[in-house]
Amino acid sequence: MAEMTYREAVRDALSEAMRRDEDVFIMGEDIAEMGGSMGVTQGMLAEFGPERVRNTPIAEMAIVGAGIGAAMQGMRPVVEIMYEDFTTLAMEQIVNQAAKHRYMSGGQVTVPLTVRTQGGAGWSPGAQHAQQVEAWFVHVPGLKVVFPSTPTDVRGLLWSSIYDDNTVLFFEHRTLYPIKEDVPDELEPIPLGQARVHRAGEDVTVIATGRLVHESLRAAEEAEKEGVSVEVVDPRTLQPLDEQTLVDSVKKTNRCVVAHEAVVRGGFGAEVAAVIQHQAFDWLDAPVERVGAKFAPVPFAPVMENYVIPHASDVLDAIRRTVGRG
């Protein structure tokens, strides 16, 4: 086992795929000499050269469109959208092209494209650089959506995404890049559609994504001091969703809290709550609690940003409510 940051784990998966397979290449804004806005691709230009580490114009529709074309010709491109907020500029290509070609060609054409992007609040990037928009893409048939929360998961899931024959939206959270974890020396692919139980518990299940996985683990430690045993589950892939693991956990604990950084209204947590209500209704001893950002653009001022986005304290309050202590 070796210690690796989330940022290093992303770079390791990309580099290893490119070493093993000449059909894999990366492109995006400032990813070559600069190494990307978050430093993820630093050093890759020197190893792989400008043909496989390609800087692009500031044109998200063109970046994704070129990736779609390359994928349809048999390559496995990984394109980077600098901030997930900017996927708005490539929605036509992602939603109407990448997601549709395999179905509309009767399976004759595949689009093995990975769209890496990052975002999230917690460092005052402002309203146009801090959104969490993963729920938009879960709604689109033909796309897969991945949102890892740890170095081990981001490495294994990125590998599986690159080698999936469908287009994958791969979300990373800005504040997770520095976190460290011991990871296996050999890169181990993680199948898409397989949740991870981070912490076993008996009284409440917290289903969390991205940064909120770590906030939920902190909340679970505080709840333990109050005599409440909390199980924390990370879906890891939002589409396909490992419903069975989530439902089995709730059937064991009889209570559920869903937590993510995106706004509550229309967030991915609404889909999880619906799944739990439908498949585990007879096991629920309390309504499903939902934790997310307040319904507002993410403020730039740190004190206001901190007020809008959810934290461990919000998860802990939801845990208390669902066990009747809130």
Side-chain angles (χ1 to χ4, degrees), residues 121-124 173 175 206 208-209 211-220 222 257-262 264 290-294 298-299 301-321:
W123 57 295
S124 296
H173 195 287
T175 63
V206 177
T209 60
R211 180 182 67 86
L212 264 292
V213 172
H214 302 277
E215 298 294 316
S216 297
L217 289 168
R218 283 190 278 273
E222 291 301 313
V257 174
V258 182
H260 53 59
E261 188 180 294
V264 173
R290 295 168 60 193
V291 176
K294 295 176 174 60
V298 181
V303 66
M304 288 301 296
E305 179 191 52
N306 191 60
Y307 170 73
V308 166
I309 65 173
H311 304 279
S313 58
D314 299 293
V315 179
L316 182 58
D317 286 344
I319 291 169
R320 289 169 176 157
R321 286 194 300 271

Side-chain angles (χ1 to χ4, degrees), residues 59-313:
E60 284 75 15
M61 180 178 281
I63 295 168
V64 176
I68 293 170
M72 291 173 68
Q73 291 300 311
M75 303 191 79
R76 293 190 176 273
V78 181
V79 303
E80 178 179 310
I81 302 299
M82 189 180 289
Y83 288 86
E84 63 186 80
D85 314 65
F86 304 161
T87 58
T88 54
L89 298 164
M91 278 297 218
E92 153 63 22
Q93 295 291 355
I94 296 171
V95 174
N96 287 332
Q97 306 305 325
K100 305 293 191 291
H101 287 313
R102 188 172 189 178
Y103 174 79
M104 294 182 70
S105 69
Q108 297 178 79
V109 174
T110 59
V111 189
L113 168 68
T114 304
V115 181
R116 280 188 53 246
T117 189
Q118 66 81 34
W123 57 295
S124 296
Q128 296 165 330
H129 298 77
Q131 297 171 85
Q132 294 278 260
V133 301
E134 63 276 2
W136 294 353
F137 300 102
V138 175
H139 188 68
V140 180
L143 299 178
K144 294 188 177 182
V145 182
V146 181
F147 196 179
S149 64
T150 70
T152 298
D153 290 347
V154 79
R155 189 170 69 149
L157 288 165
L158 181 53
W159 180 273
S160 296
S161 298
I162 292 169
Y163 285 98
D164 196 292
D165 283 337
N166 300 281
T167 296
V168 180
L169 272 290
F170 197 90
F171 289 90
E172 301 158 18
H173 195 287
R174 165 66 175 83
T175 63
L176 297 182
Y177 285 129
I179 68 169
K180 297 179 180 180
E181 181 181 54
D182 287 337
V183 302
D185 291 329
E186 290 293 320
L187 194 156
E188 298 179 356
I190 298 172
L192 304 190
Q194 189 176 96
R196 176 179 175 182
V197 178
H198 280 267
R199 188 182 198 276
E202 300 296 329
D203 299 324
V204 186
T205 295
V206 177
I207 301 169
T209 60
R211 180 182 67 86
L212 264 292
V213 172
H214 302 277
E215 298 294 316
S216 297
L217 289 168
R218 283 190 278 273
E221 291 177 4
E222 291 301 313
E224 193 76 35
K225 298 174 184 177
E226 301 175 10
V228 180
S229 175
V230 179
E231 183 151 298
V232 178
V233 184
D234 179 2
R236 299 196 291 193
T237 62
L238 313 187
Q239 176 59 35
L241 178 64
D242 182 2
E243 297 182 7
Q244 192 64 55
T245 296
L246 309 186
V247 170
D248 287 347
S249 177
V250 174
K251 285 183 177 180
K252 179 178 74 170
T253 65
N254 307 119
R255 295 174 178 84
C256 182
V257 174
V258 182
H260 53 59
E261 188 180 294
V263 295
V264 173
R265 179 62 59 87
F268 179 70
E271 177 64 22
V272 174
V275 167
I276 298 304
Q277 186 278 147
H278 181 68
Q279 298 189 38
F281 180 81
D282 289 339
W283 284 265
L284 286 172
D285 289 339
V288 176
E289 291 284 342
R290 295 168 60 193
V291 176
K294 295 176 174 60
F295 197 69
V298 181
F300 176 77
V303 66
M304 288 301 296
E305 179 191 52
N306 191 60
Y307 170 73
V308 166
I309 65 173
H311 304 279
S313 58

